[in-house]
Amino acid sequence: MTEYGQGPGLEPWHPEDPEYGDQGWAGHEAQQGQMPYAGDSQQYQQVPQPQYPQYAQQQQGQHPQGQQAQYPQAQQHPGQYPQTQQYPGQYPQDQQQPHQHQQQETYGGQGQVWDTGQMQYAGVPQAADPYAGADPYAQQQTSGYPGETPDLYGTPEAFPPPRPPGRRHLEPEEQWQEEETKADEAADSFLAGGGGADDGDEGDDGGRGGRRSGRSGGKPKKRSGMACLVAAVIIVGVVGGGGYYGYDYLKGKFGAAEDFAGSGVDEAVDVEIPKGAGLGQMGRILKDAGVVASAQAFVDAAGNNPKGKSIQPGIYPLKKKMSAASVVEVMTDPSKLHVLTIAEGMRNSKVYEAIDKKLEKPEGTTKDIAFREARNLGLPAWANNDPRIIDPLEGFLYPMRYDLKKDSTPESLLKQMVKNATDKYTELGVEGKAKELGLENPLQVITVASLVNAEGKNHDDFRKMSEVVYNRLKKTNDVTNQKIEFDSTYNYVKNQSEINFNLTEAKAFVNPYNTHNVRGLPPGPIGNPGEAALTGALSPDHGGWMFFVSVDENKTTFTKTYEEHLKLVAEFQARQKQKNGG
């Protein structure tokens, strides 16, 4: 879109270009066709008017030379703006009213004239406009009477009058002022309660005219202080909120984790750590229980403790609001863990004591329940098949760790232990292998496993000791006459764990469980064998072993003959005397 009056031809656009069409405003004289007038040094060029030939002939008839002698008209040429001339004696009114002279502007150097319609010549008759109804934007013959030109800018719908080139480029500034004013009005309206633009718009001129005073040269409305305050509050809120979250993120990322101090308040809580839980999950569980202030504090404390990575799953008796370091100290102490661990080979008498202690029951509570409720605890049908059995649950309290819960009871623990043992025996196929091993029933497999678990130290020992048991049970055994002669059976009857005891007294002690006195296996197991002892009993070494001696605490030596065995016994007795200072 071009400026008003811009012709279709190509021409320089920038005002500083020497060929720019509006330089006539700067007062430069025309340099083209000259037309002398008396007493006037200025020269003019007649503008050709091809659009209206009839009118041109009429003018030529009146003025043969194509000029208007009586009423000289300011002529135009490309790049020149016309200057209205005055001739003495012809129009005295012009001198009295110079401010009413017609102002004409030429745009684009195309000879097109735009009349501002603001001129009135006193005493000059107004002739009819021969171009009424013609296109006001088409090129027109410049009339000798400016009043004949239609007023193109007097109606409300008209475009504003053309402006001199020096002021054409001020429009962006005015638009900015108007936009600024509108922005301030919107802010004021919002702060005033959400009123629209109509609030306060009515002034002396009514409607929106008062708000557009900036176009008329009035001072632009200053920016509202309240609007600035709102903007400042918004900026501070955004920056402040972002700063807070940024600080919180950096603190959580690089700062010290939130932690409590001390060993906690006087409010106990049992926390259960599931199997397979890592330190992070443990920390979250402890935080949810109110024990630690943050999971990260627990992770950091566990990392700083040499035993931190050895924390086991289970239930821990803790307190609320404990420091992370004190929590780690408790959880790395097995004695503080709220669990019950049954060691491999442990006797039932020790298991009952441990349950009473962990559940804070009176001594003997669990044992009484075991004997009274034995038939209701889930034992297999082949268990407790000998009336001489001392404890019906012996060998069926499977050794492992048991997590104690708030609702744990002696009976519930015993049931869980019996179930675990029965499941394991079924898994290993104990019932089907009893006959393959030359035994009378599956219970004897468990009994053999309990014997080797009490005497041996590792799986290799278990297999060789099982071979010793099976060889001594054979009817062809004329060395021990089918006696097992394990010290562990004598200790079981005596409810002790002694290595040095009087062998003569042991052989004289009559009891179905004392294998130094009776032939064959005892009536039932003497402990609760673990999986290694069970597999050792199910798959003996088959090395023909008949004797063994524990030379030291870490090694057991096996022999096939009695003579080799006596030598090992002599070495063992000598070492024991030296150890005791004898």
Side-chain angles (χ1 to χ4, degrees):
M1 178 176 181
T2 61
E3 296 185 46
Y4 301 129
Q6 179 67 31
L10 298 175
E11 66 170 359
W13 187 258
H14 197 280
E16 295 181 1
D17 193 305
E19 296 183 2
Y20 185 67
D22 289 341
Q23 293 183 6
W25 285 94
H28 294 290
E29 296 180 357
Q31 301 297 329
Q32 298 183 4
Q34 301 178 357
M35 182 63 64
Y37 287 84
D40 190 1
S41 61
Q42 299 221 2
Q43 300 174 357
Y44 300 88
Q45 178 183 10
Q46 178 68 30
V47 178
Q49 303 294 336
Q51 291 88 346
Y52 308 100
Q54 295 177 358
Y55 182 72
Q57 292 177 2
Q58 179 182 358
Q59 297 294 332
Q60 290 177 1
Q62 296 176 359
H63 307 284
Q65 297 179 358
Q67 302 176 357
Q68 298 177 1
Q70 293 180 352
Y71 308 103
Q73 179 179 350
Q75 302 298 320
Q76 307 175 22
H77 63 87
Q80 181 78 26
Y81 285 91
Q83 298 180 1
T84 304
Q85 303 296 325
Q86 299 178 1
Y87 299 91
Q90 292 183 358
Y91 300 102
Q93 292 87 349
D94 293 348
Q95 297 178 358
Q96 297 174 5
Q97 297 178 349
H99 64 280
Q100 295 180 353
H101 283 190
Q102 177 182 0
Q103 299 179 3
Q104 297 180 352
E105 300 179 3
T106 302
Y107 290 83
Q110 297 290 332
Q112 184 175 357
V113 178
W114 288 84
D115 190 350
T116 61
Q118 297 177 359
M119 178 176 174
Q120 294 280 339
Y121 285 91
V124 179
Q126 303 294 324
D129 185 2
Y131 306 106
D135 184 1
Y137 294 96
Q139 294 183 348
Q140 301 178 10
Q141 169 82 18
T142 304
S143 173
Y145 295 92
E148 294 179 356
T149 304
D151 185 2
L152 304 179
Y153 309 104
T155 62
E157 296 82 4
F159 291 102
R163 306 189 63 149
R167 293 188 57 81
R168 291 178 187 173
H169 301 287
L170 297 179
E171 184 64 17
E173 178 179 0
E174 294 178 356
Q175 291 177 355
W176 175 85
Q177 292 176 352
E178 181 179 2
E179 292 174 359
E180 181 182 82
T181 302
K182 291 181 178 180
D184 291 340
E185 292 173 0
D188 294 342
S189 175
F190 172 77
L191 294 173
D198 294 335
D199 296 343
D201 279 354
E202 295 184 0
D204 294 339
D205 54 352
R208 293 178 297 175
R211 291 299 184 186
R212 293 189 176 181
S213 60
R215 283 188 176 272
S216 301
K219 292 184 180 180
K221 184 177 180 180
K222 293 184 179 180
R223 189 177 296 276
S224 171
M226 184 60 69
C228 294
L229 177 60
V230 171
V233 170
I234 294 175
I235 293 173
V236 171
V238 172
V239 174
Y244 170 78
Y245 287 109
Y247 169 77
D248 186 65
Y249 171 79
L250 293 175
K251 180 180 178 182
K253 190 74 174 177
F254 303 104
E258 186 179 0
D259 195 4
F260 293 128
S263 58
V265 298
D266 191 16
E267 184 176 356
V269 57
D270 291 336
V271 178
E272 181 177 2
I273 302 299
K275 294 181 180 179
L279 293 177
Q281 184 179 354
M282 293 181 188
R284 290 189 291 272
I285 293 174
L286 292 167
K287 183 180 183 302
D288 293 341
V291 176
V292 296
S294 65
Q296 188 60 45
F298 173 79
V299 174
D300 294 341
N304 295 330
N305 191 307
K307 300 179 181 179
K309 294 183 179 180
S310 63
I311 297 176
Q312 299 297 317
I315 298 177
Y316 294 86
L318 301 169
K319 297 180 179 179
K320 288 193 174 183
K321 295 186 178 181
M322 298 177 65
S323 68
S326 62
V327 173
V328 173
E329 287 293 333
V330 173
M331 297 180 71
T332 53
D333 184 357
S335 65
K336 301 294 180 62
L337 183 63
H338 205 43
V339 297
L340 177 63
T341 302
I342 307 301
E344 295 183 359
M346 181 181 289
R347 301 171 186 166
N348 279 7
S349 59
K350 297 296 182 182
V351 175
Y352 300 148
E353 292 176 3
I355 294 175
D356 288 342
K357 184 177 181 180
K358 281 293 184 180
L359 298 183
E360 299 179 354
K361 301 295 182 179
E363 184 178 354
T365 300
T366 304
K367 183 178 180 179
D368 293 342
I369 294 174
F371 280 80
R372 184 176 65 250
E373 301 292 335
R375 295 179 179 274
N376 302 322
L377 297 177
L379 290 172
W382 47 265
N384 195 23
N385 57 4
D386 193 324
R388 298 176 299 169
I389 291 177
I390 295 176
D391 189 335
L393 298 183
E394 195 76 70
F396 290 92
L397 303 181
Y398 193 73
M400 61 178 296
R401 200 184 75 177
Y402 294 88
D403 297 332
L404 303 181
K405 301 180 181 179
K406 292 181 179 180
D407 57 350
S408 295
T409 63
E411 186 175 1
S412 66
L413 285 175
L414 293 174
K415 285 183 177 181
Q416 184 63 42
M417 294 175 181
V418 171
K419 181 180 183 304
N420 291 343
T422 303
D423 292 344
K424 178 60 65 175
Y425 299 157
T426 302
E427 175 188 341
L428 295 176
V430 171
E431 191 172 357
K433 287 192 174 183
K435 293 182 178 181
E436 295 180 10
L437 296 171
L439 301 176
E440 297 178 2
N441 53 65
L443 183 61
Q444 289 189 338
V445 177
I446 309 304
T447 302
V448 172
S450 67
L451 292 174
V452 301
N453 208 149
E455 298 283 349
K457 301 182 183 301
N458 50 58
H459 187 261
D460 187 59
D461 286 352
F462 298 154
R463 293 189 64 203
K464 291 181 178 180
M465 287 181 180
S466 297
E467 176 70 7
V468 171
V469 172
Y470 295 137
N471 285 334
R472 292 189 179 184
L473 289 176
K474 293 180 178 179
K475 296 180 178 180
T476 58
N477 174 21
D478 55 0
V479 178
T480 63
N481 296 319
Q482 298 179 341
K483 291 182 180 178
I484 304 297
E485 295 183 346
F486 277 17
D487 295 344
S488 56
T489 59
Y490 177 74
N491 285 329
Y492 177 78
V493 174
K494 293 290 186 178
N495 196 22
Q496 64 184 21
S497 298
E498 297 291 339
I499 297 177
N500 298 316
F501 56 82
N502 192 311
L503 186 55
T504 304
E505 293 181 359
K507 290 182 177 181
F509 181 75
V510 179
N511 188 285
Y513 280 84
N514 182 13
T515 57
H516 282 289
N517 183 268
V518 297
R519 296 180 179 182
L521 293 171
I526 62 173
N528 296 284
E531 185 172 3
L534 288 167
T535 56
L538 292 172
S539 57
D541 180 73
H542 298 297
W545 312 112
M546 287 290 293
F547 302 93
F548 65 90
V549 174
S550 297
V551 179
D552 55 40
E553 295 179 357
N554 298 320
K555 183 179 180 181
T556 303
T557 304
F558 295 85
T559 62
K560 298 179 181 179
T561 64
Y562 186 64
E563 289 76 10
E564 293 174 334
H565 173 68
L566 291 177
K567 292 180 181 180
L568 294 175
V569 172
E571 293 178 8
F572 172 76
Q573 292 176 349
R575 185 170 299 175
Q576 289 298 109
K577 289 181 180 181
Q578 186 178 3
K579 182 178 179 180
N580 297 330

